Amino acid sequence: MNIHEYQAKAVLREFGIPTPRGIAAFSVEDAVKAARELASPVTVVKAQIHAGGRGKAGGVKVVKSIEAVESEAKRLLGSTLVTHQTGPRGKEVHRLYIEEGSAIDKEFYLSALVDRGTGRVSFVVSTEGGMDIEQVAKDTPEKIVSFSIDPATGVMPHHGRRIAQALQLKGDLAKQAEALVAKLYQAFLAKDMSMLEVNPLVVTKDGKLICLDAKISFEGNSLYRHPDVVALRDLTEEDEKEIEASKHDLSYVALDGNIGCMVNGAGLAMATMDIIKLYGEEPANFLDVGGGASKERVTEAFKIITADPNVKGILINIFGGIMRCDVLAEGVIAAVKEVGLKVPLVVRLEGTNVERGKQIIAESGLDVVSADDLDDAAQKIVKAVRGNA
Ligand code: GDP
Ligand code: MN
């Protein structure tokens, strides 16, 4: 789960991590009031959307008067920001963050994330702040320093020195860097974050190390123990179909392609997406209906897939282990009867009660293409989608 920058900064402040003063604003009046309250000679008006790259897209404005805060707030609220992270459709701005301006001396990059390879939290730092870190990694990988924290010891003084050295910080700034990494690690663990990115981390002209931007993702499976984090959720930033899916315990991720997939088991779902790509098309979603899905869940899953206007064909790929193929077949037929079927549907069933499942579909009179294996299924749906295009 992701949150906005202003919320992320509030979380960091709980741990004593330095950030500029700021106030969230939901209207132009709010923004003006916030700027008056901050009473800072330089104010930054920042669009709050769940995507980075706002600066380059005009979503971050450094201004010097209340009038300018007002006009930037008017311009941004309700507008659609298209950044390199939003996709071409962009994201509509409903919230702003009004922040006191900082006089920047240097901009750095810092992030912490779960390194699944080592099972530890890793820090990534670079002198190349404010830039696209993927680009830095590609062009000048030597400018990226990364190390992981042993959970048994936590952050040690040498980690702080490592960061100070990587960022070429000396004296008091090196001390600030050491304190910062310890607090960031503490916050990361306490809140069950999966990713924490500070880009840029800056040194101000008066010698302070502060987090000028903050992006936090939380581990979804740990949200049950963080009601305070759940309260920060902004549903307008999330895909409606994903929200609906989560209500029915379906693992669903919306993607950009045009073949809707309904699969049981995450591994099989990944393999199904891969094979669709292998035959030259793109999946419209990842959807795992789970091992023991009921008829109702299958119906809900089918509704979510067909609600996506990009879906030009559907591939159902079920390996009946705990899930029985006949239950799946009944669910599909119930769903088709309820929502209708306007696109080609290919079904590949294997496993428990497969004969009964195939029979139910054959006798339903529905226009369903039956497939024998994964390869056959992928080729059939790709062909059907192309014939329909
Ligand atoms: P992003 O583009 O979505 O990552 O938004 P950021 O919060 O990182 O802001 C983009 C850029 O705006 C930063 O890299 C800074 O260069 C600039 N910026 C943000 N806040 C300030 C500020 O207080 N003072 C100055 N001078 N520049 C700022
Ligand atoms: Mn940034």
Side-chain angles (χ1 to χ4, degrees):
M1 188 196 114
N2 298 325
I3 58 174
H4 289 290
E5 174 200 4
Y6 76 94
Q7 298 168 320
K9 283 176 169 168
V11 170
L12 297 185
R13 270 181 224 121
E14 283 178 43
F15 294 85
I17 294 160
T19 60
R21 290 183 303 137
I23 300 168
F26 296 78
S27 66
V28 176
E29 298 76 57
D30 274 2
V32 169
K33 194 164 157 260
R36 288 223 168 86
E37 216 170 304
L38 292 170
S40 129
V42 179
T43 311
V44 191
V45 181
K46 307 187 81 173
Q48 299 296 292
I49 52 171
H50 285 190
R54 296 163 301 165
K56 285 198 187 93
V60 176
K61 288 288 174 187
V62 180
V63 298
K64 290 186 176 152
S65 70
I66 302 283
E67 292 70 42
V69 169
E70 184 171 10
S71 66
E72 290 300 337
K74 271 192 190 140
R75 182 180 65 84
L76 282 169
L77 281 170
S79 73
T80 300
L81 264 193
V82 180
T83 82
H84 69 93
Q85 286 187 4
T86 58
R89 268 174 272 173
K91 278 186 177 272
E92 212 173 298
V93 181
H94 301 291
R95 305 179 188 196
L96 299 174
Y97 191 41
I98 312 299
E99 196 171 60
E100 79 179 321
S102 307
I104 303 174
D105 185 21
K106 289 196 190 98
E107 297 192 40
F108 304 130
Y109 175 91
L110 182 149
S111 65
L113 48 113
V114 178
D115 178 350
R116 289 170 205 283
T118 57
R120 295 177 174 187
V121 174
S122 278
F123 277 86
V124 178
V125 288
S126 173
T127 49
E128 305 305 290
M131 323 252 261
D132 199 0
I133 198 67
E134 284 83 3
Q135 200 59 40
V136 178
K138 209 167 135 212
D139 300 341
T140 48
E142 70 281 1
K143 289 189 173 163
I144 294 180
V145 172
S146 147
F147 56 87
S148 62
I149 309 290
D150 185 335
T153 64
V155 169
M156 304 285 282
H158 70 85
H159 294 123
R161 288 198 293 275
R162 187 85 192 271
I163 286 198
Q165 188 193 24
L167 302 179
Q168 294 153 30
L169 299 173
K170 304 216 164 57
D172 185 54
L173 277 169
K175 283 209 188 94
Q176 290 182 46
E178 282 185 33
L180 182 74
V181 65
K183 286 175 185 164
L184 289 171
Y185 184 67
Q186 192 197 353
F188 194 99
L189 293 189
K191 298 286 181 181
D192 287 316
M193 296 178 191
S194 52
M195 205 270 310
L196 164 60
E197 188 181 58
V198 180
N199 186 22
L201 169 71
V202 304
V203 175
T204 61
K205 293 221 162 97
D206 54 356
K208 299 228 160 53
L209 194 61
I210 61 171
C211 301
L212 206 67
D213 190 11
K215 180 179 177 180
I216 299 179
S217 302
F218 297 94
E219 169 54 51
N221 291 319
S222 305
L223 287 174
Y224 72 95
R225 53 187 186 195
H226 300 289
D228 55 330
V229 169
V230 175
L232 302 176
R233 193 164 188 177
D234 180 358
L235 291 176
T236 66
E237 289 280 341
E238 295 180 27
D239 187 286
E240 274 170 45
K241 298 187 292 306
E242 291 183 13
I243 296 167
E244 189 58 28
S246 70
K247 284 187 199 154
H248 301 284
D249 270 333
L250 297 162
S251 304
Y252 173 90
V253 181
L255 300 167
D256 294 331
N258 56 13
I259 296 181
C261 308
M262 177 149 87
V263 190
N264 67 329
L268 190 58
M270 301 283 244
T272 304
M273 288 160 52
D274 280 349
I275 203 159
I276 287 172
K277 281 170 173 270
L278 182 70
Y279 286 109
E281 289 295 333
E282 295 286 327
N285 64 278
F286 167 95
L287 172 59
D288 174 9
V289 291
S294 62
K295 187 174 140 194
E296 287 69 32
R297 247 164 93 188
V298 169
T299 310
E300 288 307 325
F302 200 83
K303 281 194 211 163
I304 289 166
I305 292 176
T306 51
D308 180 351
N310 295 326
V311 167
K312 301 285 182 271
I314 300 170
L315 173 55
I316 296 182
N317 183 21
I318 300 291
F319 187 86
I322 300 169
M323 173 159 216
R324 291 168 15 220
C325 294
D326 53 328
V327 171
L328 180 279
E330 280 170 6
V332 169
I333 286 160
V336 171
K337 284 196 176 134
E338 204 178 320
V339 300
L341 183 63
K342 296 180 197 75
V343 295
L345 171 63
V346 173
V347 179
R348 178 255 175 168
L349 296 178
E350 195 52 81
T352 312
N353 294 358
V354 61
E355 290 313 326
R356 177 92 195 101
K358 283 186 174 168
Q359 191 189 352
I360 290 169
I361 287 180
E363 287 169 0
S364 69
L366 295 175
D367 187 13
V368 176
V369 180
S370 193
D372 296 324
D373 57 36
L374 193 46
D375 212 50
D376 182 41
Q379 290 184 54
K380 279 180 173 157
I381 192 62
V382 167
K383 195 166 157 229
V385 165
R386 290 188 173 164
N388 235 36

